[in-house]
Amino acid sequence: MEKLKMQTNNGIVSNIKKISSLFPNCIVETVDDNGNSIFSVDFDILRQELSPEIVEGRDERYQFVWPDKKKAILLANAPINATLRPCKDRSKDFDNTENLYIEGDNLDVLKCLKETYMGKVKVIYIDPPYNTGSDFVYHDDFSKSAEDYLANSGQYDAQGNRLVANTESNGRFHTDWLNMIYPRLKVARDLLSEDGAIFISISEEEIENMKKVCNEIFGEDRFANSFITRRYDKNLNRQFMDQGLKSFNIGFEYILCYTKNRFLFKPIFKAASEERSSCGYWKGFWNDADRPTMRYDILGFTPKTGQWKWSKDVAYEAIENYKEYIENFSEKMTIEEYWLQTGKTKKFIRKNPNGKGKNAGVENWIAPTDGILRNTNWTDILTSKNDKSTQGLFDFPKNVDLIKLVLEASTDKDSIILDFFSGSATTAHAVMQLNAEDGGKRKFIMVQIPELTNEKSDAYKANYKNICEIGEERIRRAGIAIKEEFPQNAQKLDTGFRVLKLDSSNMLDVYYAPSEINQAMLSLFTNNVKEDRTSEDLLFQVMLELGATLDSKIEVSKVEDKKIFNVGQGYLVACFEKNVNDNVITKIAQMQPLYAVLRDNSMADDSTATNFEQIFKTFSPTTTCKVL
């Protein structure tokens, strides 16, 4: 049987293998600090392989660098000894839900998820900490221990990561923020599906740096668009300029969108709005709830005047006509020529001669087949907005309608959506809301570090001690409200979530030099699991390593009082009990799982250990057996 490594993959080793497949002459064998032979890259030879001229010295080049950037890259690739432990008492409908809420530093959580969820996430939406001079940011430090963090700050997690205030007086104001965001985006990219996209809310302080980071990680040609949304301001009548004429008021925030590869975003249609039809700017353009106003901006060509009004059916027909143009006519004629030649015979562009103003009343958009998001009045949507699900818990969370609009444009009905700066869990709320509206079965993964709540806040006084507790409560409240709003879909709607908590590995560190081993330590080699860890803890770490998604259905049975876990209907069967005999092994083998896992010291006696392989050869020869 193979031994499970119980550690995340080493990104450096993976990258070296990729380079080796392209340039085998650049791989050399060296020796590490422990005297073990390892492979590394000869960068001088690699640079020469990638240059048409002889490489001698460092040339000037266009690049984006900052202090510790190499350390940030190393941090993204470095493996960790960590796991995700289930918390059933904090979960909702643990056994049936397919949604996840994960507590812990998001970099380590992303690394834990990477192997199992690589290429499976359709959309990532994040609202990372804004670098405003007072907000808390994640701080990753290679040199300080968890004890040092405890002495220096009251906010830290089990991995030794803490939250610190990054003030404008800090000489590394931008550097610290970049070192926080870079490795997280680098790992997150691997989770995106080939037709996936990431949406990032950001303010003006770091939008330039964020775009440069994303250009490097996702590729400059994968930039889809940036959207402007209105920033919430309770003082609607504030002065246009700050007092003392320091600066103009900035009333907007941004959403950057990058795709893994280019893909077609979905059209969005919105019904007429009573609120908008009553205000002067929108009056007269929302007069028919069955005929939503929309504009189709095709590769920059728009009629000189007028406003298009299409019904939903006509709009979809126009999309199909446009696809036909791209596939059959785009190399023969321009869009304008195509439009003029087809005229009324094809519903490609339908102009409303009664429209007033170039963009009046426009709120909806349809993306062209090149995947680039075009014009939309996102500025009509507030970035933040309170609702009943957050009252008394969180001030000004992200607007559910805003994120729902993002998901509506970019997800399928069964997509996985990830938010690793979950905050008050607005993204989870938006996923459930959209599923209730269109009958979808989208699943969310929320990740949030347990940042402590302010002792003066209403949430703290209500006994919510950290943001994770707020996020979980918000999902519960939102789920109840949505089911009340959509009783016809309530039975099928998944408003539950499995809570998992980042922690150190379940396995003891039992690696010692031979001279350090004594008689009292021998028990470590027969019991390599930490005393406070449960069978469920072990199961979820094994699930991550063997590729079973964390929302997999888990069935529990007993054979001779030994608990047996069946994950994903036979994908993985595990038993972590001691004194497992032939009968239990036979029962597991008869389930014919893809993987079977037991503890290293679980066999009842030598006879069972001897018979183990023969039992599986008899009942399930294709099963891969592993021990931990």
Side-chain angles (χ1 to χ4, degrees), residues 491-547:
Q491 204 67 23
K492 297 179 181 179
L493 189 63
D494 183 0
T495 60
F497 54 94
R498 281 183 179 175
V499 176
L500 304 169
K501 184 176 182 179
L502 180 72
D503 208 332
S504 59
S505 172
N506 295 310
M507 314 308 292
L508 288 168
D509 185 357
V510 294
Y511 297 100
Y512 297 91
S515 60
E516 297 175 330
I517 298 176
N518 55 48
Q519 187 68 29
M521 298 168 61
L522 292 180
S523 62
L524 294 175
F525 297 93
T526 59
N527 183 15
N528 58 350
V529 177
K530 294 176 180 176
E531 290 184 2
D532 64 335
R533 302 307 165 92
T534 67
S535 295
E536 285 78 8
D537 292 334
L538 296 175
L539 178 67
F540 273 80
Q541 186 164 1
V542 170
M543 287 168 62
L544 280 172
E545 180 154 343
L546 295 181

Side-chain angles (χ1 to χ4, degrees), residues 85-88 90-91 94 101 472 497-501:
R85 300 176 65 186
C87 303
K88 280 193 172 184
R90 289 169 49 191
S91 304
F94 183 95
Y101 188 97
E472 293 165 18
F497 54 94
R498 281 183 179 175
V499 176
L500 304 169
K501 184 176 182 179

Side-chain angles (χ1 to χ4, degrees), residues 393-461:
L393 299 179
F394 212 86
D395 291 332
F396 312 127
K398 274 290 182 274
N399 189 344
V400 174
D401 292 335
L402 172 65
I403 301 179
K404 187 161 68 73
L405 191 64
V406 167
L407 301 180
E408 194 175 352
S410 56
T411 65
D412 302 315
K413 289 189 176 182
D414 59 352
S415 296
I416 298 176
I417 295 98
L418 167 66
D419 183 346
F420 55 89
F421 287 98
S422 173
S424 65
T426 307
T427 302
H429 187 160
V431 170
M432 294 187 296
Q433 184 76 32
L434 185 56
N435 282 342
E437 292 176 7
D438 69 4
K441 294 185 177 180
R442 298 169 186 84
K443 298 179 282 190
F444 64 74
I445 302 175
M446 300 292 104
V447 183
Q448 176 62 42
I449 195 169
E451 179 184 348
L452 302 180
T453 53
N454 189 316
E455 294 184 6
K456 297 180 180 180
S457 67
D458 291 337
Y460 184 88
K461 294 173 183 177

Side-chain angles (χ1 to χ4, degrees), residues 26 30 37 69 77-78 87 139 143 156 171 202 205-206 244 247 308 380 529 531-532 540 546 549 568 586 614:
C26 296
T30 58
S37 295
K69 181 179 181 181
N77 289 325
C87 303
H139 183 72
S143 59
Y156 71 101
I202 195 69
E205 287 87 0
E206 294 292 354
S247 66
W308 297 309
D380 184 53
V529 177
E531 290 184 2
D532 64 335
F540 273 80
L546 295 181
T549 57
T586 299
Q614 187 57 48

Side-chain angles (χ1 to χ4, degrees), residues 68 71-76 80 104-109 111 137-145 149 157 159-164 172 175-185 421 449 502:
D68 293 335
K71 189 179 288 187
I73 296 173
L74 179 63
L75 185 61
I80 57 170
D105 180 272
N106 51 16
L107 179 57
D108 285 353
V109 171
K111 288 183 178 183
V137 297
Y138 290 64
H139 183 72
D140 304 301
D141 195 302
F142 292 94
S143 59
K144 292 186 178 181
S145 66
Y149 282 128
D157 67 7
Q159 306 303 306
N161 302 307
R162 62 170 175 158
L163 295 167
V164 296
R172 294 166 55 92
T175 293
D176 285 348
W177 190 87
L178 286 166
N179 284 330
M180 179 277 295
I181 201 67
Y182 187 91
R184 287 162 174 82
L185 289 178
F421 287 98
I449 195 169
L502 180 72

Side-chain angles (χ1 to χ4, degrees), residues 92-158:
K92 178 182 177 182
D93 197 16
F94 183 95
D95 293 330
N96 300 306
T97 184
E98 294 183 307
N99 300 316
L100 302 175
Y101 188 97
I102 305 176
E103 175 185 313
D105 180 272
N106 51 16
L107 179 57
D108 285 353
V109 171
L110 289 172
K111 288 183 178 183
C112 287
L113 296 176
K114 182 177 176 180
E115 193 166 350
T116 298
Y117 286 88
M118 183 177 292
K120 294 181 180 179
V121 175
K122 183 65 182 288
V123 165
I124 297 174
Y125 170 83
I126 58 171
D127 180 20
Y130 293 172
N131 202 19
T132 60
S134 59
D135 289 331
F136 283 110
V137 297
Y138 290 64
H139 183 72
D140 304 301
D141 195 302
F142 292 94
S143 59
K144 292 186 178 181
S145 66
E147 289 77 14
D148 293 329
Y149 282 128
L150 179 60
N152 295 332
S153 170
Q155 305 205 60
Y156 71 101
D157 67 7

Side-chain angles (χ1 to χ4, degrees), residues 33-63:
D33 295 338
N34 297 319
N36 300 316
S37 295
I38 60 172
F39 291 104
S40 62
V41 178
D42 187 325
F43 291 101
D44 290 332
I45 297 177
L46 181 60
R47 278 193 291 268
Q48 186 61 71
E49 287 284 357
L50 301 176
S51 174
E53 300 176 356
I54 295 176
V55 176
E56 294 180 352
R58 183 176 180 83
D59 296 327
E60 292 184 348
R61 69 199 72 177
Y62 177 82
Q63 58 185 161

